[in-house]
Amino acid sequence: MAVALLFLCFLVLATTTSDAVIAHSDPQIIQLLRPRAGVAGHPDSEINCLSWRLAVETNNIRNWDLVPETCEDYVGNYMLGKQYRLDCEAVADIAIEYAENLTIPDDGKSIWVFDIDETAFSNLPYYARPSVGFGAKKYNSTAFGEYIQEADVPALPASLRLYRNLVKLGIKSVFLTGSSERYREAREENLKKVGYYTWEKLILKPISEKGTSSVYFKSKERTKLVNEGYRIVGNIGDQWSDIIGTNVGNRTFKLPDPMYYVG
């Protein structure tokens, strides 16, 4: 009787262990633990594209021209998916916490510098067009200019939330963009339309400075602000060129953007 009982226990244990092994080897379960990149359905491509994006965001890969063709779907899935939104919200959370702990003098000279494209605004409706795509095709300045002129670009929600908190704290906003001065009217209309109702300055690149680097142009404009007596308490952008150079501010914040590189 004891031998039979022992044998029965062994069968139960063996069956349970076998079921557990099968459950943990179920590809459906394993897939839930892996990032879904959607790059030609190939795991190796997913890993390479994840590593490529990490290198881009950490500024280890510089002066790149186009998104690798095999990573375009991955970039598109990231930008249109939940993770991009969560990443932007995380940046905004940190920036708001920082701003709330500042002591702001009551002289109206404390400012926060915002980039515009992929910072104040999100151009995802443009990049989601089949004719454009997510960074693997050459940039079409004419088509993008026409898109800007429509003045219907949505706000990046995380940045708009940061902006609204800064207004409450008495920190003025300066929009500094490498976008051409020819788009000033459209930019002003668009900013107000999506909720950026007031700002201290809107600085666009003069047509005469076309071709100058973003680092040079934005450093020069920030220096002008400092020379006018402003304190740059914060600076946010999606490109490293938005937050490096001279007079970058007391604290900088980088939003994700693996779609393009601006030097």
Side-chain angles (χ1 to χ4, degrees), residues 179-197:
S179 187
S180 174
E181 180 68 36
R182 66 165 58 94
Y183 301 121
R184 175 172 293 275
E185 185 176 340
R187 290 303 200 184
E188 289 180 344
E189 178 186 345
N190 206 152
L191 284 167
K192 293 177 180 178
K193 181 186 295 185
V194 299
Y196 297 102
Y197 299 115

PDB file of all heavy atoms in Angstrom, residues 179-197:
ATOM      1  N   SER A 179      13.354  76.104 -37.125  1.00  0.00           N
ATOM      2  CA  SER A 179      12.397  76.297 -38.210  1.00  0.00           C
ATOM      3  C   SER A 179      12.532  77.705 -38.781  1.00  0.00           C
ATOM      4  O   SER A 179      12.812  78.657 -38.052  1.00  0.00           O
ATOM      5  CB  SER A 179      10.978  76.087 -37.663  1.00  0.00           C
ATOM      6  OG  SER A 179      10.027  76.109 -38.693  1.00  0.00           O
ATOM      7  N   SER A 180      12.338  77.843 -40.077  1.00  0.00           N
ATOM      8  CA  SER A 180      12.581  79.109 -40.756  1.00  0.00           C
ATOM      9  C   SER A 180      11.631  80.222 -40.311  1.00  0.00           C
ATOM     10  O   SER A 180      10.453  79.987 -40.019  1.00  0.00           O
ATOM     11  CB  SER A 180      12.457  78.927 -42.267  1.00  0.00           C
ATOM     12  OG  SER A 180      12.549  80.158 -42.933  1.00  0.00           O
ATOM     13  N   GLU A 181      12.160  81.430 -40.323  1.00  0.00           N
ATOM     14  CA  GLU A 181      11.381  82.624 -39.995  1.00  0.00           C
ATOM     15  C   GLU A 181      10.169  82.779 -40.915  1.00  0.00           C
ATOM     16  O   GLU A 181       9.153  83.374 -40.511  1.00  0.00           O
ATOM     17  CB  GLU A 181      12.276  83.857 -40.110  1.00  0.00           C
ATOM     18  CG  GLU A 181      11.620  85.184 -39.803  1.00  0.00           C
ATOM     19  CD  GLU A 181      11.240  85.353 -38.347  1.00  0.00           C
ATOM     20  OE1 GLU A 181      11.990  84.866 -37.482  1.00  0.00           O
ATOM     21  OE2 GLU A 181      10.181  85.964 -38.075  1.00  0.00           O
ATOM     22  N   ARG A 182      10.213  82.183 -42.081  1.00  0.00           N
ATOM     23  CA  ARG A 182       9.096  82.312 -43.014  1.00  0.00           C
ATOM     24  C   ARG A 182       7.818  81.645 -42.475  1.00  0.00           C
ATOM     25  O   ARG A 182       6.734  81.912 -42.961  1.00  0.00           O
ATOM     26  CB  ARG A 182       9.452  81.726 -44.376  1.00  0.00           C
ATOM     27  CG  ARG A 182       9.679  80.219 -44.398  1.00  0.00           C
ATOM     28  CD  ARG A 182       9.662  79.687 -45.832  1.00  0.00           C
ATOM     29  NE  ARG A 182      10.662  80.319 -46.667  1.00  0.00           N
ATOM     30  CZ  ARG A 182      11.882  79.852 -46.886  1.00  0.00           C
ATOM     31  NH1 ARG A 182      12.263  78.719 -46.296  1.00  0.00           N
ATOM     32  NH2 ARG A 182      12.734  80.472 -47.660  1.00  0.00           N
ATOM     33  N   TYR A 183       7.980  80.802 -41.478  1.00  0.00           N
ATOM     34  CA  TYR A 183       6.819  80.101 -40.928  1.00  0.00           C
ATOM     35  C   TYR A 183       6.295  80.739 -39.638  1.00  0.00           C
ATOM     36  O   TYR A 183       5.494  80.138 -38.924  1.00  0.00           O
ATOM     37  CB  TYR A 183       7.169  78.633 -40.644  1.00  0.00           C
ATOM     38  CG  TYR A 183       7.628  77.870 -41.859  1.00  0.00           C
ATOM     39  CD1 TYR A 183       8.893  77.279 -41.893  1.00  0.00           C
ATOM     40  CD2 TYR A 183       6.810  77.748 -42.985  1.00  0.00           C
ATOM     41  CE1 TYR A 183       9.319  76.581 -43.011  1.00  0.00           C
ATOM     42  CE2 TYR A 183       7.240  77.061 -44.109  1.00  0.00           C
ATOM     43  CZ  TYR A 183       8.491  76.479 -44.117  1.00  0.00           C
ATOM     44  OH  TYR A 183       8.919  75.800 -45.232  1.00  0.00           O
ATOM     45  N   ARG A 184       6.720  81.960 -39.331  1.00  0.00           N
ATOM     46  CA  ARG A 184       6.345  82.581 -38.058  1.00  0.00           C
ATOM     47  C   ARG A 184       4.825  82.644 -37.871  1.00  0.00           C
ATOM     48  O   ARG A 184       4.298  82.286 -36.824  1.00  0.00           O
ATOM     49  CB  ARG A 184       6.945  83.992 -37.949  1.00  0.00           C
ATOM     50  CG  ARG A 184       6.490  84.743 -36.683  1.00  0.00           C
ATOM     51  CD  ARG A 184       7.238  86.047 -36.495  1.00  0.00           C
ATOM     52  NE  ARG A 184       8.650  85.805 -36.202  1.00  0.00           N
ATOM     53  CZ  ARG A 184       9.111  85.555 -34.977  1.00  0.00           C
ATOM     54  NH1 ARG A 184       8.283  85.505 -33.935  1.00  0.00           N
ATOM     55  NH2 ARG A 184      10.405  85.354 -34.791  1.00  0.00           N
ATOM     56  N   GLU A 185       4.129  83.129 -38.866  1.00  0.00           N
ATOM     57  CA  GLU A 185       2.671  83.286 -38.728  1.00  0.00           C
ATOM     58  C   GLU A 185       1.999  81.940 -38.462  1.00  0.00           C
ATOM     59  O   GLU A 185       1.133  81.830 -37.579  1.00  0.00           O
ATOM     60  CB  GLU A 185       2.099  83.924 -39.991  1.00  0.00           C
ATOM     61  CG  GLU A 185       0.604  84.239 -39.889  1.00  0.00           C
ATOM     62  CD  GLU A 185       0.067  84.949 -41.114  1.00  0.00           C
ATOM     63  OE1 GLU A 185       0.863  85.547 -41.873  1.00  0.00           O
ATOM     64  OE2 GLU A 185      -1.159  84.907 -41.326  1.00  0.00           O
ATOM     65  N   ALA A 186       2.405  80.908 -39.191  1.00  0.00           N
ATOM     66  CA  ALA A 186       1.815  79.579 -38.997  1.00  0.00           C
ATOM     67  C   ALA A 186       2.163  79.021 -37.626  1.00  0.00           C
ATOM     68  O   ALA A 186       1.315  78.404 -36.956  1.00  0.00           O
ATOM     69  CB  ALA A 186       2.302  78.631 -40.086  1.00  0.00           C
ATOM     70  N   ARG A 187       3.391  79.234 -37.184  1.00  0.00           N
ATOM     71  CA  ARG A 187       3.808  78.740 -35.876  1.00  0.00           C
ATOM     72  C   ARG A 187       3.040  79.426 -34.756  1.00  0.00           C
ATOM     73  O   ARG A 187       2.604  78.781 -33.793  1.00  0.00           O
ATOM     74  CB  ARG A 187       5.314  78.952 -35.685  1.00  0.00           C
ATOM     75  CG  ARG A 187       6.208  78.073 -36.536  1.00  0.00           C
ATOM     76  CD  ARG A 187       5.937  76.596 -36.334  1.00  0.00           C
ATOM     77  NE  ARG A 187       7.064  75.770 -36.757  1.00  0.00           N
ATOM     78  CZ  ARG A 187       7.060  74.452 -36.767  1.00  0.00           C
ATOM     79  NH1 ARG A 187       5.991  73.797 -36.398  1.00  0.00           N
ATOM     80  NH2 ARG A 187       8.117  73.763 -37.148  1.00  0.00           N
ATOM     81  N   GLU A 188       2.885  80.732 -34.849  1.00  0.00           N
ATOM     82  CA  GLU A 188       2.140  81.462 -33.827  1.00  0.00           C
ATOM     83  C   GLU A 188       0.697  80.978 -33.749  1.00  0.00           C
ATOM     84  O   GLU A 188       0.160  80.745 -32.659  1.00  0.00           O
ATOM     85  CB  GLU A 188       2.177  82.964 -34.130  1.00  0.00           C
ATOM     86  CG  GLU A 188       3.533  83.600 -33.898  1.00  0.00           C
ATOM     87  CD  GLU A 188       3.521  85.092 -34.200  1.00  0.00           C
ATOM     88  OE1 GLU A 188       2.574  85.564 -34.864  1.00  0.00           O
ATOM     89  OE2 GLU A 188       4.471  85.792 -33.786  1.00  0.00           O
ATOM     90  N   GLU A 189       0.077  80.842 -34.902  1.00  0.00           N
ATOM     91  CA  GLU A 189      -1.311  80.367 -34.947  1.00  0.00           C
ATOM     92  C   GLU A 189      -1.424  78.964 -34.351  1.00  0.00           C
ATOM     93  O   GLU A 189      -2.332  78.675 -33.562  1.00  0.00           O
ATOM     94  CB  GLU A 189      -1.809  80.359 -36.393  1.00  0.00           C
ATOM     95  CG  GLU A 189      -3.229  79.822 -36.557  1.00  0.00           C
ATOM     96  CD  GLU A 189      -3.641  79.702 -38.013  1.00  0.00           C
ATOM     97  OE1 GLU A 189      -2.960  80.291 -38.884  1.00  0.00           O
ATOM     98  OE2 GLU A 189      -4.641  78.988 -38.290  1.00  0.00           O
ATOM     99  N   ASN A 190      -0.492  78.112 -34.721  1.00  0.00           N
ATOM    100  CA  ASN A 190      -0.524  76.717 -34.278  1.00  0.00           C
ATOM    101  C   ASN A 190      -0.305  76.600 -32.769  1.00  0.00           C
ATOM    102  O   ASN A 190      -0.987  75.831 -32.076  1.00  0.00           O
ATOM    103  CB  ASN A 190       0.541  75.927 -35.039  1.00  0.00           C
ATOM    104  CG  ASN A 190       0.221  74.453 -35.150  1.00  0.00           C
ATOM    105  OD1 ASN A 190       0.643  73.780 -36.095  1.00  0.00           O
ATOM    106  ND2 ASN A 190      -0.520  73.893 -34.201  1.00  0.00           N
ATOM    107  N   LEU A 191       0.658  77.364 -32.236  1.00  0.00           N
ATOM    108  CA  LEU A 191       0.939  77.325 -30.798  1.00  0.00           C
ATOM    109  C   LEU A 191      -0.312  77.676 -29.999  1.00  0.00           C
ATOM    110  O   LEU A 191      -0.676  76.981 -29.031  1.00  0.00           O
ATOM    111  CB  LEU A 191       2.073  78.286 -30.447  1.00  0.00           C
ATOM    112  CG  LEU A 191       3.492  77.833 -30.807  1.00  0.00           C
ATOM    113  CD1 LEU A 191       4.466  79.004 -30.710  1.00  0.00           C
ATOM    114  CD2 LEU A 191       3.944  76.696 -29.894  1.00  0.00           C
ATOM    115  N   LYS A 192      -0.977  78.743 -30.379  1.00  0.00           N
ATOM    116  CA  LYS A 192      -2.185  79.171 -29.658  1.00  0.00           C
ATOM    117  C   LYS A 192      -3.314  78.176 -29.826  1.00  0.00           C
ATOM    118  O   LYS A 192      -4.078  77.920 -28.887  1.00  0.00           O
ATOM    119  CB  LYS A 192      -2.611  80.558 -30.154  1.00  0.00           C
ATOM    120  CG  LYS A 192      -1.628  81.657 -29.785  1.00  0.00           C
ATOM    121  CD  LYS A 192      -2.046  83.003 -30.352  1.00  0.00           C
ATOM    122  CE  LYS A 192      -1.045  84.089 -29.981  1.00  0.00           C
ATOM    123  NZ  LYS A 192      -1.419  85.404 -30.559  1.00  0.00           N
ATOM    124  N   LYS A 193      -3.423  77.603 -31.012  1.00  0.00           N
ATOM    125  CA  LYS A 193      -4.505  76.665 -31.297  1.00  0.00           C
ATOM    126  C   LYS A 193      -4.451  75.446 -30.379  1.00  0.00           C
ATOM    127  O   LYS A 193      -5.486  74.936 -29.943  1.00  0.00           O
ATOM    128  CB  LYS A 193      -4.445  76.224 -32.766  1.00  0.00           C
ATOM    129  CG  LYS A 193      -5.554  75.260 -33.170  1.00  0.00           C
ATOM    130  CD  LYS A 193      -5.363  74.736 -34.589  1.00  0.00           C
ATOM    131  CE  LYS A 193      -5.478  75.817 -35.616  1.00  0.00           C
ATOM    132  NZ  LYS A 193      -5.418  75.285 -37.008  1.00  0.00           N
ATOM    133  N   VAL A 194      -3.240  74.958 -30.073  1.00  0.00           N
ATOM    134  CA  VAL A 194      -3.126  73.718 -29.294  1.00  0.00           C
ATOM    135  C   VAL A 194      -2.968  73.950 -27.795  1.00  0.00           C
ATOM    136  O   VAL A 194      -2.915  72.994 -27.024  1.00  0.00           O
ATOM    137  CB  VAL A 194      -1.968  72.842 -29.808  1.00  0.00           C
ATOM    138  CG1 VAL A 194      -2.203  72.445 -31.262  1.00  0.00           C
ATOM    139  CG2 VAL A 194      -0.620  73.528 -29.630  1.00  0.00           C
ATOM    140  N   GLY A 195      -2.891  75.215 -27.364  1.00  0.00           N
ATOM    141  CA  GLY A 195      -2.881  75.461 -25.921  1.00  0.00           C
ATOM    142  C   GLY A 195      -1.694  76.209 -25.360  1.00  0.00           C
ATOM    143  O   GLY A 195      -1.641  76.476 -24.159  1.00  0.00           O
ATOM    144  N   TYR A 196      -0.730  76.585 -26.220  1.00  0.00           N
ATOM    145  CA  TYR A 196       0.381  77.409 -25.743  1.00  0.00           C
ATOM    146  C   TYR A 196      -0.029  78.873 -25.941  1.00  0.00           C
ATOM    147  O   TYR A 196       0.317  79.511 -26.941  1.00  0.00           O
ATOM    148  CB  TYR A 196       1.653  77.094 -26.546  1.00  0.00           C
ATOM    149  CG  TYR A 196       2.145  75.672 -26.401  1.00  0.00           C
ATOM    150  CD1 TYR A 196       1.906  74.727 -27.415  1.00  0.00           C
ATOM    151  CD2 TYR A 196       2.873  75.263 -25.289  1.00  0.00           C
ATOM    152  CE1 TYR A 196       2.376  73.417 -27.296  1.00  0.00           C
ATOM    153  CE2 TYR A 196       3.334  73.958 -25.164  1.00  0.00           C
ATOM    154  CZ  TYR A 196       3.079  73.044 -26.172  1.00  0.00           C
ATOM    155  OH  TYR A 196       3.535  71.745 -26.058  1.00  0.00           O
ATOM    156  N   TYR A 197      -0.755  79.391 -24.975  1.00  0.00           N
ATOM    157  CA  TYR A 197      -1.435  80.668 -25.180  1.00  0.00           C
ATOM    158  C   TYR A 197      -0.524  81.883 -25.057  1.00  0.00           C
ATOM    159  O   TYR A 197      -0.797  82.934 -25.633  1.00  0.00           O
ATOM    160  CB  TYR A 197      -2.587  80.804 -24.193  1.00  0.00           C
ATOM    161  CG  TYR A 197      -3.637  79.727 -24.346  1.00  0.00           C
ATOM    162  CD1 TYR A 197      -3.872  78.799 -23.337  1.00  0.00           C
ATOM    163  CD2 TYR A 197      -4.379  79.624 -25.523  1.00  0.00           C
ATOM    164  CE1 TYR A 197      -4.836  77.806 -23.490  1.00  0.00           C
ATOM    165  CE2 TYR A 197      -5.331  78.635 -25.688  1.00  0.00           C
ATOM    166  CZ  TYR A 197      -5.550  77.723 -24.665  1.00  0.00           C
ATOM    167  OH  TYR A 197      -6.490  76.739 -24.825  1.00  0.00           O
TER     168      TYR A 197
END
